Amino acid sequence: MPKNILTRGYRRSLDRAQQLNRAQKVAFAGVGTLGVTAVALAAFPAGAQTTTTSEAAPAAKVAYSSQQQIKDVHAGVADQLAGASQKVAAIEAQKEAAAKQAAAQKKAAAEKAAAAKKAAAKREAKETASRSAKRAEVKKASVKSYPNNLDGWIREARAILAKHDIPGTYSGIHRNIIRESSGNPKAINDWDINAINGIPSKGLLQVIPPTFKAYHVAGTSWDIYDPVANIAAACNYAADKYGSMDNVNSAY
């Protein structure tokens, strides 16, 4: 009997202890629930309504259709194309400006070259004219001058005769002049047969007009009284008829 009494007493104590443990667990669970509830209330405003279901609410999806995405892509591509077009236009404008500048520079260079060429031609023409003038001056200075007397007339005539291969020495010419006119270039014979025939002899070597005209020497005057022209024509006639004025010793 005593053994059974102890056993029953022990079991009752054990049952009470288990009941206390369950009560504590429930109490702890209630406290935890109250904590979760408090946290939930703090997370939502006071006027907010909540709906509890047995399943968790799925995450809200952003309302963003595929058509809107295409529109956005098209807009982005259009913006990029517009930007690219602006860049291309800017590059073309720069190229056009550079081409215009190059053309302007080329034109300016051509005009400058033409002006330089014109100036060079003008300078060359001026220098040529200057050289021609100098040559003329040199030539004029180089032309030998002869005194205006019998000696000068004979020497000048002989220089012209030498260019035409017409013979005649100084002494031969001088001798015949002294005999014919005494050295007077204006001498005229008004009494011989030629004068009677109307063609008197004239000048230093007493040449008649038809003979002077026929035997005139190029480079001399056409005036029969010109001393150099008269000597040259007379020597040319004498060379044709007598071989040289040196061979003439009388009227010829």
Side-chain angles (χ1 to χ4, degrees), residues 99 176 216:
N176 280 283
H216 175 266

Side-chain angles (χ1 to χ4, degrees), residues 93-107:
Q94 290 177 354
K95 288 182 178 180
E96 184 177 358
K100 288 182 178 179
Q101 184 178 3
Q105 292 176 348
K106 185 176 180 180
K107 182 179 179 182

Side-chain angles (χ1 to χ4, degrees), residues 60-125:
K61 295 183 179 180
V62 178
Y64 199 73
S65 65
S66 60
Q67 185 177 2
Q68 183 63 35
Q69 291 177 348
I70 294 172
K71 287 182 179 180
D72 291 343
V73 171
H74 285 178
V77 172
D79 291 341
Q80 292 179 359
L81 291 176
S85 299
Q86 290 177 354
K87 291 181 180 179
V88 171
I91 293 172
E92 292 298 329
Q94 290 177 354
K95 288 182 178 180
E96 184 177 358
K100 288 182 178 179
Q101 184 178 3
Q105 292 176 348
K106 185 176 180 180
K107 182 179 179 182
E111 291 176 351
K112 185 176 180 181
K117 186 176 181 180
K118 185 177 180 181
K122 186 176 181 180
R123 185 170 56 254
E124 179 63 23

Side-chain angles (χ1 to χ4, degrees), residues 122-171:
K122 186 176 181 180
R123 185 170 56 254
E124 179 63 23
K126 186 176 180 180
E127 291 176 355
T128 300
S130 178
R131 287 193 296 268
S132 298
K134 289 180 179 179
R135 284 195 297 268
E137 291 177 359
V138 171
K139 184 176 181 181
K140 184 177 180 181
S142 64
V143 173
K144 190 174 182 179
S145 61
Y146 299 91
N148 189 26
N149 54 31
L150 182 58
D151 175 69
W153 300 333
I154 295 173
R155 289 194 289 117
E156 185 175 355
R158 291 191 70 243
I160 295 173
L161 292 172
K163 292 179 180 179
H164 296 277
D165 296 324
I166 299 172
T169 64
Y170 183 95
S171 61

Side-chain angles (χ1 to χ4, degrees), residues 234 236-252:
N236 192 22
Y237 170 77
D240 183 48
K241 298 299 181 181
Y242 306 102
S244 172
M245 182 59 76
D246 296 345
N247 298 328
V248 177
N249 295 300
S250 63
Y252 58 104

